[in-house]
Each structure stands twice: as C-alpha cells, then as structure tokens.
Amino acid sequence: MERTHSADVVIVGGGIGGLTAALSLHAAGIEALVLESAREIRPLGVGINLQPAAVRELDELGLLDRLAALGVPAVANAFADSAGRTLFSKPTGTAAGFHWDLYSVHRGELQMMLLDAVHERLGAGAVRTGVRFEGFEETADGVRVDAVDRATGDRISFTAGALIGADGIHSVLRGLLHPDEGPLKWSGVTMWRGVTEAESFAPGNSVVIAVDDKKTGFVGYQISDAALKRGRTLINWVCLVPTGKPGPLGSDVSWNTPGKIEDILPHYADWEFDWADLPALFGKSEEILEYPMVDRDPLPSWGRGRVTLLGDAAHPGYPAGANGGTQAIIDARVLAYHLAVEPDVVKALAAYEEDRREATAAVVLANREVDRVGRNTSAQGKTASGEDIEKVTESYQKTTGEAEKLNTRASLTPPRVNRG
C-alpha cells in the first residue's frame, strides 16, 4: 500500500543538522517533515564540540539554557606532547572574545535535546522514524520523495516543495545527485573513541590535544554538567593512530564498530601523562568505538533545483577542527533563512548553496591542513612546536570565523512567513 504525506520541506536524516533544520524552518513559519531510517532515535555516540558560531544559532532558537544544562563550556584548547606538557594554549569561547561559549557535550544527548524541541514545537508527527529514503523525482511544482516503511515494507511517497539530504557521511541522496563521485577518502588514520567517568580531569575546562613524534594523537575533554554537579567528570577521549596508507575507502564502513582496548594500548606505551592514567581511562569506558578518519573533496555543487544537501552529507571533513556539528547547524540556519526570504524555492536553495558551499569547502581543506602539518612534523621525527601550532590555529580560526566577525554578524533568524 502506498501512502502520501505532504510538507513544505522534507528532510532526510534526523541527526543534529536535520533536527536543527526542522526547528529553524518552523521558526520561520515553514512546515518541515523529518524522515529517519532508524526505528528509534536513541542517545548514541560520544562527545562533540560546538563552536561559538553554532552555540549562537542554538541560542537564537531558544535552546541555550538546555544546552548549558547538558554540556561544559570550554575555555581553551591546550596543545600538548606525549608527556602531557603544554606546548601552546589558545583561549576559546567567551575567553577569546566571542559572545558565546564553546560547549563540549555528548552527541547523543544533544540530538535528544533537539528531538525533544522538535516534538514540542512541531508535534510528534514531525519526525517519522523507521522510514528509509530511496529516491526522488522533481515535478513542475515540487518533489516526490520515495521511501519504504522498514516495519511493514510498505512503499510510501511524500510530496514537498523542497528535499534536503541531511543523511550523513553515507548519504543516499548525495549518491543519487553525484553517482560518479567515488568512495570516501581515508586519511590513513584510525580513530578510537570512548567516554569515561572519573573523579577529576586535571586540565579542567580545557580541550586537550596531544601528539607524539609518530603522529599518534590524543584528544580529551569534559562533556557533562550533570557529572560535574555530582562531583565527578565525564571525559570524552579520542585516539588517533596512523594505521595505513591514505587512499579510497569502501562503502561498507561502519561508524559503530566496537573497538578493542588491546588494539589501542600499544600505541600509547611510551606516553606518560602525570595527570591521567591513559590505560585506565580507555579501559573504564563502557563502550569503545572504532572508525576511520575520512572526508571527501568539496563538490562543485551540492544539489539541483528543489533538492540539496546539508551537514556531513554535503561536506564531510576530518574532525581536526572540531567543526562538523557546528557547520551542520549553521547550514540549517542559513537554509531556513533563504527559504523564508525568497519565495522561489529553486532560487532560495541556490542562494543557500552560494552562501555555504565555499565556506564549508574552506573548512574541509583547513581540516586537511591541520592534519598535514602534524603529519609533516612527525615525518621529520619531531612533534610540532608551540610556534607551529600557533600558526596553524590562527590560520584555522581566520578560515572558520573570528570573534569580531561572529559577534557583529546579523542574525540568521528571518521574519516568519505564511506559506498557507
């Protein structure tokens, strides 16, 4: 049986970008429907950093208090060596002159916060779970979206004025729009990630980034305000280890592969932090996830006509700059803005891409540059110096948005429109 439903905008993917898009469109008076393949949205994953630019957008959506109740505001990025010695520390958030903090938070809790807000503001029917997107067809005045109900096997069609692919790094919609693109590009680095509750985190509200002369990296930061209020701390940790030659990667890669601590420990045998027992930190995590560090080359265009992409579906990048979630949130807000101020949907999506494609391409390339600098210094048998790190971080901040630029930028919240 085929059933047909309608909305102004259909969004494929109920992750951070897709849910923020739904909230932003609703705030602008535009009806949104989110299709999520998972049968249930649960608080999965590990930590994420939201840069001040994203926190501003959540603030303008009225969600800052909820975010603050979940996460921890970071005051600095501290770059260290494998002995835990700080090489260079750079303030961030309000400590760096932004009007908004950088928040470190559990990705799953952030997603559930956004989902709750969507249910409250748009209604329970605004997110359809267990619906697998399969294809689309543009019509004279809209888009027909084809999907399958995973529980029943029934085919479903949806009609909309626009179709947005926010379905992540393995985006089905991106594959339909760019069928000849080829596989993901692997950096040669394998990442292991986990979350561990501990008595304390000596660096406090700093994000610690450490690397040794083999280009083995470690990142750690606090992610839970609730844990701090209990006198504990919840630490998100990331291990980044060169394990192969960079190159193309198959499409069967999973981002939920269980990791093994015995695969991690040999790479950190020579590390000696005086403020953290790394083997204990890794071993006490309830779950370890393993996945490759990948990205894609920037596209010359994201979509066509009434169809476009958002977030990782549009511009997947290395996590070197902690910017993936941030850029998805900004995408969502810019998308809603253009759809609100431009009645012609095709022109609105073209303007959205013009605003965001070049900016996000710069972030993807800047993430590669951060990785390249570290890899080159390792090839020379030394870790990056404080001066090296300062240069690359200053360049990165200019690429992704300095405090004055963000603080003086006009709001992306448009006047409400009446599409009835």
Side-chain angles (χ1 to χ4, degrees):
M1 176 184 294
E2 181 171 310
R3 294 168 287 172
T4 303
H5 307 266
S6 299
D8 292 334
V9 179
V10 167
I11 302 165
V12 179
I16 292 169
L19 295 173
T20 304
L23 289 167
S24 299
L25 290 165
H26 172 75
I30 301 171
E31 179 190 18
L33 175 65
V34 178
L35 307 181
E36 169 55 48
S37 181
R39 297 183 181 182
E40 179 186 5
I41 298 177
R42 295 181 291 134
L44 303 176
V46 285
I48 185 174
N49 284 310
L50 292 183
Q51 303 294 334
V55 174
R56 171 181 180 168
E57 302 309 333
L58 295 181
D59 186 11
E60 293 188 354
L61 282 170
L63 298 172
L64 183 56
D65 288 345
R66 298 190 194 192
L67 176 63
L70 294 178
V72 177
V75 298
N77 290 314
F79 299 86
D81 61 18
S82 58
R85 295 185 293 256
T86 299
L87 303 173
F88 172 70
S89 182
K90 187 173 184 62
T92 189
T94 52
F98 291 95
H99 291 338
W100 297 268
D101 280 308
L102 181 157
Y103 270 92
S104 302
V105 64
H106 191 287
R107 179 185 291 271
E109 291 185 358
L110 172 64
Q111 184 179 10
M112 297 306 294
M113 179 197 84
L114 294 169
L115 179 64
D116 289 345
V118 169
H119 285 161
E120 291 167 11
R121 299 177 187 185
L122 282 71
V127 179
R128 292 283 304 274
T129 56
V131 176
R132 185 177 67 245
F133 167 76
E134 292 201 336
F136 71 93
E137 180 181 354
E138 278 199 81
T139 63
D141 57 355
V143 184
R144 192 192 75 225
V145 182
D146 298 320
V148 172
D149 185 318
R150 293 183 60 199
T152 65
D154 290 345
R155 302 200 62 80
I156 319 169
S157 70
F158 303 84
T159 58
L163 171 63
I164 311 301
D167 47 342
I169 199 165
H170 286 310
S171 171
V172 174
L173 183 51
R174 179 173 176 140
L176 294 174
L177 291 167
H178 304 278
D180 300 324
E181 182 180 21
L184 292 162
K185 293 193 170 185
W186 182 40
S187 65
V189 172
T190 297
M191 302 172 63
W192 287 271
R193 303 193 63 167
V195 174
T196 302
E197 183 170 307
E199 291 184 4
S200 63
F201 184 62
N205 285 19
S206 290
V207 177
V208 176
I209 303 108
V211 66
D212 68 7
D213 59 1
K214 303 180 187 69
K215 190 55 176 69
T216 300
F218 169 84
V219 179
Y221 50 88
Q222 302 178 113
I223 60 172
S224 174
D225 180 69
L228 291 174
K229 287 178 177 175
R230 289 189 286 106
R232 305 280 290 176
T233 183
L234 195 63
I235 304 168
N236 177 83
W237 54 265
V238 189
C239 296
L240 304 98
V241 181
T243 57
K245 184 178 179 180
L249 202 64
S251 60
D252 58 345
V253 179
S254 171
W255 264 248
N256 293 303
T257 301
K260 300 176 182 178
I261 189 170
E262 54 265 31
D263 293 335
I264 307 174
L265 292 179
H267 300 289
Y268 295 85
D270 298 331
W271 287 51
E272 295 181 359
F273 283 6
D274 60 5
W275 50 265
D277 181 341
L278 292 184
L281 187 71
F282 304 152
K284 291 179 181 178
S285 178
E286 291 186 4
E287 180 182 35
I288 297 175
L289 299 176
E290 174 186 337
Y291 45 89
M293 190 168 84
V294 298
D295 70 359
R296 288 189 183 276
D297 290 336
L299 290 167
S301 65
W302 290 348
R304 62 175 185 262
R306 295 173 175 267
V307 183
T308 192
L309 303 171
L310 181 154
D312 279 350
H315 44 78
Y318 296 167
N323 231 306
T326 292
Q327 296 304 315
I329 288 172
I330 298 172
D331 284 352
R333 298 285 289 156
V334 174
L335 172 76
Y337 177 85
H338 283 294
L339 283 170
V341 300
E342 171 54 69
D344 185 309
V345 171
V346 174
K347 290 181 180 179
L349 296 190
Y352 155 69
E353 286 197 25
E354 185 176 352
D355 261 9
R356 294 298 296 152
R357 191 171 53 79
E358 186 175 334
T360 53
V363 172
V364 170
L365 298 178
N367 287 345
R368 286 183 182 177
E369 178 65 10
V370 169
D371 182 71
R372 186 193 68 81
V373 169
R375 195 176 300 279
N376 283 351
T377 54
S378 297
Q380 298 166 12
K382 65 186 182 76
T383 58
S385 67
E387 184 179 354
D388 294 331
I389 297 168
E390 183 173 9
K391 287 179 180 178
V392 75
T393 54
E394 285 182 356
S395 175
Y396 191 87
Q397 185 167 316
K398 289 178 181 178
T399 298
T400 57
E402 296 176 296
E404 183 179 356
K405 179 180 176 183
L406 175 64
N407 291 344
T408 58
R409 197 207 71 204
S411 172
L412 290 173
T413 301
R416 286 181 62 84
V417 297
N418 181 2
R419 291 287 170 91

